[in-house]
């Protein structure tokens, strides 16, 4: 039973364009959502988060949108840069304090120069 | 400032052998997490500690797996006996209270059991 799903295993975009990574979840009790980025041979790094009481959070080139009615969130990267090429994991938790994260399978983003 | 340190980075062992993975969290962090990443199951939480106390070990696959945190600066994940299906990358992560979702991951240990 996969509670957090990233249905697109890979995405390729041109440098300077927008990258949109999608994530769906099934449990309406999730309270906090995160995006992590992972380069090869490294551990994931925290990118951006959003509380369930918000619908948008922005940090520089990265914006996360949450649609609770659709149980869907997305990460927008604009403009995309070659250094953004990595695996992006969506994650969810029932509480921002527990740290018990449930991760999606990941989407590999390739940004072409 | 050093990040999360894991050792060894790579481990190759034979089925039936005991394997011990080690982790040093970031100083000042009071939560520690062990994850396993496989192609089939993705990144899954095995166990996490808060202030050196195990809080949730529901992700530990079976009794062959055990984890300890004897102090705030050290944790181990042990597999005894190891099996080929345990082959995976094992990550350790740490965080601070109040922002437990913002976890700092180590580089991982790639375990191969033959």
């Amino acid at each position: 039973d996969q509670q957090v799903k990233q249905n697109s295993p890979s995405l390729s975009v041109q440098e300077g364009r927008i990258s949109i990574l999608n994530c769906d979840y099934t449990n309406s009790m999730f309270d906090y959502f995160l995006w992590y980025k992972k380069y090869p041979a490294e551990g994931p790094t925290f990118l951006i988060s959003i509380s369930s009481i918000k619908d948008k959070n922005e940090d520089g080139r990265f914006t996360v949108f949450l649609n609770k009615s659709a149980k869907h969130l997305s990460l927008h990267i604009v403009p995309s840069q070659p250094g953004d090429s990595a695996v992006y994991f969506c994650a969810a938790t029932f509480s921002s304090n527990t740290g018990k994260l449930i991760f999606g399978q990941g989407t590999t983003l390739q940004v072409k120069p | 400032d050093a990040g999360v340190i894991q050792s060894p980075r790579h481990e190759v062992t034979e089925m039936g052998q005991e394997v011990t993975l080690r982790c040093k969290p970031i100083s000042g962090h009071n939560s520690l997490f062990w994850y396993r990443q496989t192609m089939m199951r993705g990144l899954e939480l095995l166990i996490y500690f808060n202030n050196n106390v195990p809080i949730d070990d529901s992700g530990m696959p079976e009794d062959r797996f055990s984890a300890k945190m004897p102090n705030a600066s050290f944790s181990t994940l042990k597999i005894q006996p190891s099996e080929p299906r345990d082959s995976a990358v094992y990550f350790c992560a740490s965080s601070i209270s109040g922002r437990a979702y913002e976890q700092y991951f180590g580089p991982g240990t790639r375990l191969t059991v033959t």
Side-chain angles (χ1 to χ4, degrees):
Chain A
D1 178 27
Q2 199 168 354
Q3 299 188 70
V4 179
K5 301 177 184 179
Q6 294 176 256
N7 293 317
S8 298
S10 63
L11 174 68
S12 181
V13 300
Q14 207 66 36
E15 180 180 6
R17 306 295 287 271
I18 185 171
S19 296
I20 300 176
L21 297 102
N22 294 302
C23 178
D24 297 300
Y25 61 95
T26 58
N27 197 323
S28 58
M29 298 302 292
F30 285 135
D31 187 50
Y32 230 79
F33 302 89
L34 315 306
W35 285 94
Y36 277 76
K37 179 171 71 174
K38 184 183 181 304
Y39 293 118
E42 295 183 10
T45 57
F46 172 77
L47 192 57
I48 193 168
S49 65
I50 187 167
S51 166
S52 61
I53 63 174
K54 296 185 176 181
D55 55 17
K56 176 182 176 182
N57 188 26
E58 190 172 354
D59 184 1
R61 296 185 297 112
F62 302 90
T63 303
V64 56
F65 295 92
L66 176 63
N67 182 335
K68 284 194 298 181
S69 61
K71 294 190 179 66
H72 177 84
L73 67 156
S74 61
L75 175 68
H76 292 210
I77 307 173
V78 56
S80 301
Q81 300 173 354
D84 296 329
S85 297
V87 179
Y88 288 79
F89 291 96
C90 167
T93 181
F94 296 105
S95 166
S96 61
N97 290 323
T98 66
K100 185 172 181 177
L101 302 181
I102 299 171
F103 283 87
Q105 292 288 84
T107 296
T108 301
L109 172 66
Q110 183 185 26
V111 180
K112 297 179 179 179
Chain B
D1 190 17
V4 174
I5 299 172
Q6 290 186 248
S7 64
R9 292 295 308 275
H10 301 273
E11 177 79 39
V12 180
T13 190
E14 291 184 348
M15 181 175 62
Q17 297 297 306
E18 176 180 298
V19 175
T20 299
L21 311 182
R22 297 173 176 80
C23 175
K24 177 179 170 56
I26 293 173
S27 177
H29 284 193
N30 60 346
S31 293
L32 183 138
F33 309 84
W34 282 102
Y35 289 89
R36 178 173 68 177
Q37 184 181 26
T38 61
M39 289 293 293
M40 289 296 294
R41 300 177 66 86
L43 191 61
E44 53 181 344
L45 177 67
L46 300 178
I47 184 172
Y48 78 93
F49 296 82
N50 194 39
N51 293 322
N52 311 339
V53 176
I55 301 300
D56 188 331
D57 65 354
S58 59
M60 295 286 261
E62 47 197 278
D63 292 345
R64 297 184 298 106
F65 286 69
S66 62
K68 294 182 179 179
M69 192 164 186
N71 56 62
S73 59
F74 184 67
S75 177
T76 59
L77 177 68
K78 184 178 293 186
I79 308 172
Q80 165 65 10
S82 57
E83 296 181 3
R85 61 190 168 125
D86 301 332
S87 297
V89 180
Y90 291 81
F91 290 103
C92 175
S94 67
S95 69
I96 59 173
S97 292
R99 291 183 69 86
Y101 55 86
E102 186 174 345
Q103 298 174 15
Y104 293 78
F105 282 74
T109 294
R110 181 173 294 278
L111 173 64
T112 303
V113 183
T114 61

